[in-house]
Amino acid sequence: MRQHRLIATLVNLRGNPRGCVYTEPLWGSPFNLYAPYVSVYMLALGLTDQQIGLIVSITMGVQIGMMLLSGVVTDKLGRRRTTLISDILSWSIPALISALAQNFWYFLIAGLLNTFWRISWNAWSCLLVEDADPEQLVDIYTWIYIANQLVGFIAPLAGVVIGSYGLVPTMRGLYLLAAFMFTLKALTTYWLTSETKQGLVRLQQTQHQSIFSILGEYKGVLQALLHSPQTLYLAAIILVNHITWTINGSFWAIIVTQKLQVPEQYLAFFPFLKSGIMLIFFFALIPLINKLPFRLPLTLGFLGYVISQLLLISAPVQGYVFLIISVFLEACSYATVTPLMDKLTALTIDAKERARIQSIVFMVVILLTAPFGWIAGTLSEINKALPFLVNMILYLVGSGLAFYIGSMAQKKAITI
């Protein structure tokens, strides 16, 4: 019997891709347990919608500086060491603070520390892809998402515990568990990986350079970036994704519990459902999608997002059928768009300047995304549906950009 392509990729992973993929459940397990309840946990401790949005906007603003520094730090310290240090700063310590949170200021401090994840992400993504086989990139990224979706099946356990012990005590316990597992993941990834070939080159090149000297070189990198239309359109699609993820991550639980009046303990069912749908999608359709020019599936993925948001805002009180179909479409769209976007990013960005180009692109993305936390919070105070109307408009823009950048790639005979 022929082995499934994704299974074959997982079994045959070696080196840094194996070290990054195999340890991902250590991050995904605790994150998926507490993530559906973060915003309602904040509300339970006295925060308002506007304060939640303000935290999102402030931390997004700080992420601009973190993203700018991420390329410098990643080159100066190396991909592997940077990943270890920034993972602990951005995930382990904020989880401890959130476990002890009493008011707005605790969450703000935790959020500010969490901004180090921008440095961690840049270093980790370089560690993951720089020595990987380009033909395996979609499969590698797919396994990253599969790892996080598999652990989504344990999310309902949080709902059961919340039903028995209450929201706040359960969330404190989940955050303590997360702090331990995030630390274990950081240490294990460091142990299983080695510095990449390009990382060693950049370590040698920057050995005697100051941080300010390396930052001064960004001018030339920026000029090269501005003369790469495909990278600029890619950056625009990334911007759409970041704004919509920010809105969904902060306000989905609020609209579901307050507008649709779904009990808090049922929230965990929806990540469970989403995980199941995405796993089926990954194994059944991603191998087929991987053979297609990415323009069509990427465009359809964004249009699927539009319909899912429309169903969400038009659902009646406790309209579970609307909500389930919305989650189904969102899961299919996410499973289509995200691995393709990751592969597109990996192949479009110049490998020799990956860390610095990624830092510039995502710095601009964060700068433009930052106000949307506060904007969405203000809109949510007026009407819980308004932030998701913004999402619908942005997803329509994303579908147009995906179609256009796909046409550009096709004309240049670029296989993505």
Side-chain angles (χ1 to χ4, degrees), residues 134-168:
E135 293 298 318
Q136 290 187 321
L137 283 176
V138 167
D139 291 346
I140 288 171
Y141 278 115
T142 298
W143 270 113
I144 294 293
Y145 297 116
I146 288 173
N148 288 319
Q149 296 315 309
L150 279 171
V151 298
F153 287 115
I154 67 174
L157 292 175
V160 173
V161 179
I162 287 172
S164 300
Y165 297 98
L167 175 66
V168 173

Side-chain angles (χ1 to χ4, degrees), residues 106-266:
Y106 284 79
F107 289 111
L108 179 60
I109 293 169
L112 290 172
L113 280 171
N114 182 241
T115 61
F116 279 92
W117 81 266
R118 288 295 181 178
I119 296 176
S120 172
W121 173 84
N122 199 350
W124 178 86
S125 63
C126 290
L127 193 64
L128 175 69
V129 306
E130 283 185 339
D131 293 338
D133 179 356
E135 293 298 318
Q136 290 187 321
L137 283 176
V138 167
D139 291 346
I140 288 171
Y141 278 115
T142 298
W143 270 113
I144 294 293
Y145 297 116
I146 288 173
N148 288 319
Q149 296 315 309
L150 279 171
V151 298
F153 287 115
I154 67 174
L157 292 175
V160 173
V161 179
I162 287 172
S164 300
Y165 297 98
L167 175 66
V168 173
T170 301
M171 284 296 287
R172 295 196 190 283
L174 291 177
Y175 272 122
L176 288 174
L177 174 65
F180 169 75
M181 294 191 70
F182 290 155
T183 304
L184 180 61
K185 190 262 186 186
L187 294 172
T188 308
T189 302
Y190 184 81
W191 177 56
L192 291 175
T193 57
S194 58
E195 189 55 59
T196 68
K197 294 175 182 176
Q198 182 59 25
L200 292 172
V201 170
R202 290 301 294 157
L203 275 170
Q204 186 175 8
Q205 290 175 342
T206 60
Q207 184 177 5
H208 302 295
Q209 284 184 282
S210 68
I211 290 178
F212 295 106
S213 173
I214 301 172
L215 284 172
E217 296 174 356
Y218 270 61
K219 182 178 179 181
V221 177
L222 178 60
Q223 288 175 342
L225 176 61
L226 292 174
H227 287 87
S228 174
Q230 195 163 327
T231 306
L232 292 176
Y233 282 109
L234 170 67
I237 300 177
I238 292 171
L239 175 62
V240 167
N241 279 334
H242 269 65
I243 295 173
T244 52
W245 288 342
T246 297
I247 292 173
N248 274 325
S250 300
F251 297 99
W252 186 88
I254 293 175
I255 190 175
V256 169
T257 55
Q258 296 194 0
K259 182 175 183 289
L260 305 186
Q261 296 181 20
V262 172
E264 292 172 352
Q265 61 265 33
Y266 294 162

Side-chain angles (χ1 to χ4, degrees), residues 94-109:
L96 279 174
I97 295 172
S98 298
L100 303 172
Q102 301 293 329
N103 54 42
F104 169 85
W105 298 106
Y106 284 79
F107 289 111
L108 179 60
I109 293 169

Side-chain angles (χ1 to χ4, degrees), residues 343-358:
K343 181 181 179 181
L344 182 60
T345 302
L347 295 182
T348 300
I349 291 176
D350 181 4
K352 293 181 180 179
E353 288 290 355
R354 187 182 306 278
R356 289 196 286 187
I357 290 176
Q358 285 185 161

Side-chain angles (χ1 to χ4, degrees), residues 293-356:
F294 80 99
R295 176 179 61 182
L296 180 60
L298 196 56
T299 303
L300 290 177
F302 277 110
L303 292 176
Y305 273 133
V306 173
I307 300 172
S308 82
Q309 302 292 281
L310 179 61
L311 288 167
L312 176 64
I313 64 176
S314 60
V317 171
Q318 294 194 338
Y320 291 104
V321 174
F322 280 73
L323 196 51
I324 288 170
I325 298 174
S326 172
V327 169
F328 174 84
L329 288 172
E330 184 184 350
C332 293
S333 297
Y334 185 91
T336 303
V337 169
T338 313
L340 290 174
M341 282 297 304
D342 286 330
K343 181 181 179 181
L344 182 60
T345 302
L347 295 182
T348 300
I349 291 176
D350 181 4
K352 293 181 180 179
E353 288 290 355
R354 187 182 306 278
R356 289 196 286 187

